[in-house]
């Protein structure tokens, strides 16, 4: 590729990098007013150098950072060239980048050095490939800080404004900036490159050093969704009230947290104490102690020995990576921003993110007023899928079914896609959609059961611990399939059917 790409070259107002902060040993010459920008030029330079030195890293960071996120205009131009090369099916190494820029741009003066010599310096100071995603996130986060500073500056620059409307504009822009954490940018690769990645993953798996996919508490469910919750996928699990949505979410997240990964549980209804009581009850059940979580939560509900069991369980669970985000009234942008922050925090400790759980979709607050409820739910579904792609982990989105199931025949009140409020958005965005159904729930509420009818009692005894996980949509495996598991709602326990007690 000898001709420059069809894109703008370096403009005359590109300021020499050294004039910002005197980077790389030079004395700063810029005015004090711009001597300390909200930027990390070193991260920008290190990332670009890394890509030129190790171009195979570009697909790992392409979805995290775009040209507009770079502070230094020269870096923006170079990053744009790299993106153009990849989009054209080429490799963004140093030689190709120089050829794509062309002689005129390579000779552009950056203040005592031209672009050609500067590219050489970037390669020398390149970051290691393993650090590239962290560099990319840092660049994006600094961009967001600059955008936040810009949107709030009007309140401090002395110019007039009307507070109410101005606040609305500020909050709207803040939501946009936060949402940029999860914007799904297109990763452009050829079919050959995608094939190479597929073979590499299969080979690594066969050799025993592929990416570890944590499992849930239900082996049959894992089998149907590819061996466990897959990275970058959105799994929607829906049910009517009391069918076990929160039980399912807490159990699956707890299982992930016990396998060396961190699970982030966004609870918009339950308090952190309620979640921990549920986890404790399930943990004790595995060790032979039946203690309902509502009893743990009840004031003066425990004897001294039972309280000792709870204390032991809480102590033993301290090493598990289970992070609770407790609080309602949050937007999907709030949830995404918190997840990204926590994922980076745990990554610095060497703990990979394993799953994000959102409990539940229908009480996530829309970022603005919509004319119809389904428009707000589409925002939630879109954001949850983008979050899965952005963090490259499974997102488990719990959802509420409407009351249509109550009007179905007694023989079959199993829910389907049409029973989810805002069904279209969840069906469109989810890689898998599953429904939870407990036949015992409806038997317990029948007149015959309440009258102690022998047939009703026998029927209830036969299914009191049965949980059906109805997989309606499944991009990875079989759809229209039912997985059966063992459940005890009082203990917040879900197990493989054959291992329940």
């Amino acid at each position: 590729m000898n001709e420059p790409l069809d894109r703008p070259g370096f403009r005359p107002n590109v300021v020499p990098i050294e004039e910002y902060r005197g980077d790389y040993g030079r004395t700063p010459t810029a005015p004090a007013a711009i001597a300390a920008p909200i930027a990390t030029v070193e991260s920008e330079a290190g990332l670009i150098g890394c890509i030129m030195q190790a171009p195979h890293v570009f697909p790992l960071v392409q979805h995290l950072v775009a040209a507009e996120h770079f502070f230094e205009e020269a870096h923006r131009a170079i990053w744009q060239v790299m993106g153009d090369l990849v989009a054209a099916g080429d490799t963004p190494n140093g030689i190709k980048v120089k050829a794509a820029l062309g002689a005129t741009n390579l000779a552009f003066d950056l203040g005592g050095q031209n672009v050609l010599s500067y590219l050489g310096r970037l390669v020398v100071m390149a970051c290691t490939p393993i650090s590239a995603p962290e560099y990319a996130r840092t660049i994006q986060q600094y961009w967001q800080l600059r955008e936040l500073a810009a949107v709030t500056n009007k309140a401090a620059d002395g110019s007039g404004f009307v507070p109410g409307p101005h606040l609305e504009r500020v909050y709207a822009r803040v939501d946009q900036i936060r949402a940029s954490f999860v914007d799904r940018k297109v990763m452009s690769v050829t079919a050959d490159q995608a094939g190479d990645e597929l073979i590499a993953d299969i080979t690594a798996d066969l050799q025993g050093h592929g990416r570890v996919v944590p499992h849930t508490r239900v082996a049959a469910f894992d089998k149907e969704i590819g061996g466990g919750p897959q990275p970058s996928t959105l799994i929607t699990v829906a049910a009517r009230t009391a069918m076990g949505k929160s039980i399912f979410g807490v159990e699956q997240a707890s299982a992930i947290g016990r396998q060396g990964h961190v699970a982030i549980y966004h609870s918009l209804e339950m308090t952190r104490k309620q979640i921990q009581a549920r986890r404790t009850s399930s943990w004790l059940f595995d060790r032979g102690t039946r203690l309902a979580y509502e009893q743990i939560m009840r004031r003066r509900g425990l004897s001294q020995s039972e309280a000792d069991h709870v204390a032991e369980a809480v102590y033993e669970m301290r090493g598990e990576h289970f992070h609770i985000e407790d609080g309602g009234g949050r937007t999907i942008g709030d949830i995404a921003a918190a997840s990204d922050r926590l994922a980076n925090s745990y990554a610095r400790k060497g703990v990979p993110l394993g799953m994000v759980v959102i409990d539940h979709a229908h009480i996530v607050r829309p970022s603005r007023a919509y004319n119809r409820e389904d428009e707000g739910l589409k925002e939630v579904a879109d954001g949850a899928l983008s979050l899965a792609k952005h963090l490259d982990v499974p997102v488990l989105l719990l959802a509420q079914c409407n009351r249509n199931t109550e009007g179905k025949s007694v023989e079959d009140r199993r829910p389907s896609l049409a029973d989810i409020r805002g069904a279209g958005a969840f069906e469109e965005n989810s890689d898998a959609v599953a429904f939870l159904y407990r036949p015992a729930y409806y038997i317990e509420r029948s007149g015959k059961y309440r009258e102690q009818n022998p047939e009703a009692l026998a029927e209830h005894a036969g299914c009191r611990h049965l949980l059906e996980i109805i997989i309606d949509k499944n991009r990875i495996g079989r759809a229209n399939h039912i997985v059966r598991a063992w459940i005890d709602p009082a203990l917040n326990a879900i197990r493989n059917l054959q291992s329940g007690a």
Side-chain angles (χ1 to χ4, degrees):
M1 183 177 288
N2 296 319
E3 294 297 323
L5 294 175
D6 183 16
R7 54 164 303 280
F10 291 96
R11 300 196 299 273
N13 64 344
V14 173
V15 179
I17 293 168
E18 285 75 8
E19 291 188 6
Y20 285 117
R21 294 198 300 178
D23 293 323
Y24 322 128
R26 293 203 173 203
T27 301
T29 59
I34 62 170
I38 304 174
T40 171
V41 177
E42 296 94 334
S43 293
E44 295 180 2
L47 179 62
I48 290 173
C50 176
I51 300 302
M52 289 194 295
Q53 192 177 78
H56 66 278
V57 173
F58 191 83
L60 302 180
V61 299
Q62 186 179 11
H63 65 297
L64 297 175
V65 65
E68 64 266 22
H69 294 150
F70 287 82
F71 174 72
E72 163 55 45
E73 192 166 350
H75 293 163
R76 293 183 206 165
I78 296 168
W79 192 262
Q80 184 64 53
V81 165
M82 290 178 164
D84 290 343
L85 283 167
V86 172
D90 219 324
T91 305
N93 58 29
I95 294 174
K96 294 295 179 64
V97 169
K98 293 173 185 176
L101 283 168
T104 301
N105 286 329
L106 289 174
F108 187 87
D109 183 21
L110 289 177
Q113 64 177 325
N114 59 26
V115 173
L116 179 61
S117 61
Y118 182 61
L119 289 174
R121 290 174 59 188
L122 294 188
V123 172
V124 171
M125 64 178 295
C127 71
T128 59
I130 197 172
S131 301
E134 185 66 22
Y135 271 62
R137 289 191 182 96
T138 300
I139 292 166
Q140 190 200 67
Q141 289 164 359
Y142 269 95
W143 168 80
Q144 290 171 339
L145 287 172
R146 292 196 299 274
E147 292 295 302
L148 286 172
V151 78
T152 56
N153 271 348
K154 188 174 180 61
D157 65 6
S159 60
F161 58 86
V162 180
H166 179 66
L167 270 176
E168 290 183 6
R169 288 192 293 270
V170 169
Y171 287 139
R173 181 58 181 149
V174 168
D175 281 336
Q176 290 175 351
I177 293 168
R178 294 180 109 176
S180 69
F181 271 101
V182 296
D183 280 347
R184 184 184 178 188
K185 297 179 176 68
V186 175
M187 298 181 68
S188 179
V189 298
T190 65
D192 290 344
Q193 291 170 318
D196 291 342
E197 291 180 18
L198 177 62
I199 295 301
D201 287 346
I202 293 173
T203 301
D205 191 44
L206 290 172
Q207 294 176 349
H209 53 77
R211 178 171 177 172
V212 176
V213 176
H215 58 79
T216 72
R217 294 301 304 247
V218 185
F221 181 65
D222 287 342
K223 180 180 179 181
E224 296 300 325
I225 59 172
Q230 297 297 304
S232 298
T233 58
L234 175 62
I235 303 170
T236 296
V237 174
R240 281 292 294 143
T241 301
M243 285 295 158
K245 290 190 305 296
S246 294
I247 299 173
F248 189 87
V250 170
E251 284 285 79
Q252 307 325 315
S254 292
I256 299 295
R258 291 168 186 159
Q259 298 171 65
H261 295 69
V262 63
I264 302 173
Y265 197 98
H266 293 277
S267 177
L268 284 83
E269 281 188 312
M270 294 186 295
T271 68
R272 53 190 177 275
K273 290 181 182 178
Q274 289 172 329
I275 293 171
Q276 190 61 15
R278 286 171 177 265
R279 298 184 66 235
T280 301
S281 182
S282 178
W283 192 93
L284 287 171
F285 169 65
D286 281 339
R287 286 147 185 84
T289 299
R290 288 177 176 266
L291 195 58
Y293 67 82
E294 62 86 17
Q295 185 180 351
I296 296 173
M297 287 295 299
R298 189 190 316 146
R299 184 172 174 81
R300 296 190 179 94
L302 300 174
S303 65
Q304 184 58 57
S305 62
E306 290 169 336
D308 290 342
H309 283 308
V310 171
E312 179 186 2
V314 169
Y315 178 80
E316 292 293 334
M317 288 190 291
R318 285 188 182 278
E320 298 176 3
H321 302 298
F322 190 107
H323 194 103
I324 304 169
E325 287 288 289
D326 171 13
R330 286 179 288 159
T331 67
I332 192 66
D334 296 332
I335 291 170
S339 299
D340 192 89
R341 170 178 55 81
L342 290 168
N344 287 336
S345 175
Y346 277 98
R348 285 189 287 271
K349 301 173 187 177
V351 181
L353 181 60
M355 175 181 279
V356 175
V357 180
I358 302 173
D359 185 9
H360 63 79
H362 290 90
I363 51 177
V364 175
R365 180 174 63 85
S367 64
R368 61 183 179 85
Y370 289 96
N371 294 325
R372 302 194 316 270
E373 182 190 35
D374 63 322
E375 293 176 328
L377 292 173
K378 187 177 188 311
E379 176 187 86
V380 174
D382 288 347
L385 176 60
S386 294
L387 179 60
K389 303 299 181 186
H390 173 68
L391 295 178
D392 194 26
V393 296
V395 170
L396 177 61
L397 182 62
L398 305 180
Q400 182 81 9
C401 285
N402 55 37
R403 294 182 178 274
N404 290 349
T405 54
E406 309 301 323
K408 294 182 178 181
S409 65
V410 176
E411 289 74 22
D412 190 5
R413 284 176 168 159
R414 291 171 177 82
S416 62
L417 283 168
D419 297 316
I420 307 180
R421 290 163 51 198
F426 299 111
E427 181 179 7
E428 177 184 347
N429 285 277
S430 300
D431 296 277
V433 178
F435 297 93
L436 304 181
Y437 177 73
R438 292 196 303 115
Y441 172 84
Y442 291 105
I443 297 173
E444 290 165 359
R445 280 151 183 79
S446 69
K448 289 183 178 181
Y449 180 82
R450 289 170 178 169
E451 294 167 1
Q452 299 292 292
N453 178 280
E455 291 183 4
L457 293 175
E459 184 182 9
H460 180 266
C463 67
R464 61 177 298 201
H465 291 301
L466 176 62
L467 173 68
E468 294 184 5
I469 306 171
I470 306 164
I471 304 174
D472 202 317
K473 176 186 176 181
N474 191 4
R475 289 190 180 129
I476 302 171
R478 291 183 293 176
N480 192 27
H481 182 70
I482 297 178
V483 168
R484 291 174 173 81
W486 185 94
I487 187 171
D488 191 321
L491 303 177
N492 200 90
I494 295 177
R495 303 290 183 268
N496 293 315
L497 189 61
Q498 66 274 18
S499 63

